Every structure is written in C-alpha cells, then in structure tokens.
Amino acid sequence: MFKRKLLALECSEVDRFDINDEGRFRALVLWLEDQKIRHLKIEDREPLRNLASNEWNKAFQSYLTEINSPHDGSDRKALLDWLLGYAIRLEYGDQVDKYKSATPESFKERKEQQLSKSINPLDNLDFNSPEFKAGITSLAMMLQIPPHSNHLEMLKAICIVIKEKFTQEAIDSAGKTKEKDEHIPLDKTELGFEAGDYIITEAAKILRLLHLRDLRDLQTHINQAIVAVQAITANPKTDSRLGKVGF
C-alpha cells in the first residue's frame, strides 16, 4: 500500500520494505528524516540513528511530537502513510517548478535516462547536494571524526579511517592477539624546542608522534624485506647443467 509513495520519493527499499519488519521500519523513518523531511538538526537525529537501541521508540514518539504528527504510533500503517505523504509534500514544496512541468512522457523519459547512465552509482552522485553533505556529516559522527567546514575533506578523512580500520586485513588483525599498545601521554612528550605558543607546541608534539609512528612502520617493512631477501639468498636454486649456482 506504500509502493507508489515510496516510488515518488525514489526510495531504494520499495521492493524490500515490510512494515512488520521493525528494523526496516526504523531505517525508513531515519531515511525520511535524513533525506526528505530534515526537521531536526543533524546532531539531534542521533537517537533516531541508534536503530538497535531500546530507547528508539521513545525517541520516535518525541520526533512525532516535534513534527506535529496527528498519529501517535498505535496504528503504524496510518502513521507511515502520513509520514510518506508529509515527506512528499515537503519534497514538492522544495521543487515546485520541477513537478509542475512533470508529465507521464517526461517521467518516462527521465527513467530511460537514468537507466542509460553508468551502472556505477558514484557517477550519479551530486557531491554538493544537501543530502550528500548530511550523509557525510552523519557518517563522520558515527566514526567519531571531528567536523570540518569542507564536507569533501571530511569524506577524505572517512576514507582513511575505513581503509585503516575496516579492510579485511585490518578486521583479521583485530581478531588476533596483539601486544598492548604503548600509550604515550602528550604532556610527557618532549618536543625538543619551544614553539612560543601552547597550542602550536601541542600540535607539534602530535605531528612528531605521528612521524615517529610512520618511521616505525617503515622500519617494520624494511625488516620484512630483509628477511624475505635473506630467505631467497640462503637457499639459491642450482642448475647443474650450467655448472653454476644461482638464478
């Protein structure tokens, strides 16, 4: 019963959505607020974003009060129908001229153009749209990455964190027993000189520690390379036909 409204909102969960699935229901509510309704500030959406929390329903009731919903959630079908209609009304209000000129023919043509585009979804992203910026900010908050005025810089930081922490190699390594990391208090780190300003001095200490970490990683790779070379040279292949040792 919600398919036409979900299609109108260009929701990707049209064929998979099930109102009786609590997880999908919560995810749809969050998607509507993040992408279409946008009533709350991004930081105030955190209770809704915690989909597995036992406090989610309480946060949802508070959200319904915020947006003046005529439904309290006892009838989820009526509530969701209203939420979808509300989102469509806001979407139309944001793009009146676009929808005034819409016809069945133009809709069909737009669909054909979308199908003809690259199958890579990244090619179709608008990196400066409010939705994209909101998504980047939300993802940065989840990964505990400090905010930045340039959302593309935040995206770079997100990529670095994902590359370092969420690759298969990093996940496999995390499951193994590792030596306890040695934490060095910043206030006990010697810089070797005074920068003349407390903030600059602290920043210089951080840069020095990062540099030392990079040097340590480089030394580890060098040691691994030396071991690999020694393993080869210690057991050379012999070709008796040539009367020589080596490759």
Side-chain angles (χ1 to χ4, degrees):
M1 64 178 289
F2 309 111
K3 187 171 183 178
R4 293 185 66 182
K5 290 183 177 179
L6 289 171
L7 282 171
L9 292 167
E10 299 181 340
C11 178
S12 61
E13 294 291 313
V14 175
D15 297 323
R16 295 187 293 271
F17 179 71
D18 179 2
I19 194 171
N20 297 313
D21 186 322
E22 183 68 16
R24 292 191 184 277
F25 176 80
R26 294 183 180 188
L28 179 60
V29 169
L30 176 61
W31 181 82
L32 288 171
E33 170 57 24
D34 265 345
Q35 304 297 328
K36 304 298 178 181
I37 299 175
R38 299 193 291 272
H39 176 80
L40 301 175
K41 295 180 180 179
I42 292 176
E43 59 269 21
D44 293 338
R45 299 174 194 169
E46 192 60 32
L48 288 179
R49 205 175 304 287
N50 193 359
L51 301 179
S53 172
N54 294 329
E55 298 295 317
W56 190 90
N57 281 315
K58 181 179 178 181
F60 182 46
Q61 290 300 321
S62 176
Y63 173 67
L64 294 178
T65 302
E66 283 270 350
I67 60 176
N68 297 317
S69 168
H71 302 281
D72 59 2
S74 55
D75 185 347
R76 281 206 164 175
K77 288 185 178 180
L79 170 60
L80 183 57
D81 188 62
W82 180 84
L83 275 174
L84 292 173
Y86 181 48
I88 290 173
R89 188 163 70 250
L90 293 174
E91 186 82 350
Y92 175 81
D94 288 341
Q95 305 180 68
V96 174
D97 293 335
K98 172 185 173 182
Y99 292 111
K100 273 186 176 180
S101 60
T103 62
E105 292 76 17
S106 64
F107 177 78
K108 183 179 179 180
E109 182 181 351
R110 184 161 62 90
K111 283 296 182 183
E112 290 175 350
Q113 290 175 350
Q114 289 176 348
L115 290 174
S116 66
K117 288 182 179 179
S118 170
I119 59 173
N120 184 352
L122 295 179
D123 292 341
N124 304 323
L125 284 177
D126 179 1
F127 293 96
N128 292 308
S129 67
E131 293 83 1
F132 184 81
K133 292 179 180 179
I136 291 299
T137 303
S138 299
L139 187 55
M141 291 175 63
M142 292 174 62
L143 295 174
Q144 298 182 347
I145 295 174
H148 193 280
S149 56
N150 187 332
H151 65 287
L152 296 179
E153 292 299 323
M154 278 201 298
L155 180 58
K156 291 179 183 178
I158 289 170
C159 291
I160 293 172
V161 171
I162 292 176
K163 182 178 179 181
E164 290 186 351
K165 303 295 184 182
F166 298 100
T167 60
Q168 190 59 50
E169 182 180 354
I171 293 173
D172 292 342
S173 298
K176 298 177 182 178
T177 303
K178 300 174 68 176
E179 295 183 2
K180 186 176 179 181
D181 291 336
E182 182 182 355
H183 296 284
I184 304 176
L186 195 60
D187 57 350
K188 295 183 179 179
T189 301
E190 294 295 335
L191 181 58
F193 64 91
E194 288 297 329
D197 180 272
Y198 173 76
I199 296 177
I200 295 178
T201 299
E202 295 297 290
K205 288 181 181 180
I206 293 173
L207 290 174
R208 184 170 186 270
L209 291 174
L210 290 173
H211 179 61
L212 290 174
R213 187 194 68 173
D214 290 341
L215 289 177
R216 184 180 63 184
D217 291 341
L218 176 61
Q219 185 62 55
T220 299
H221 291 312
I222 292 173
N223 292 341
Q224 291 173 347
I226 292 174
V227 171
V229 171
Q230 288 176 339
I232 295 173
T233 57
N235 185 27
K237 296 179 181 179
T238 301
D239 190 340
S240 58
R241 293 173 303 170
L242 300 177
K244 61 188 289 187
V245 177
F247 296 96

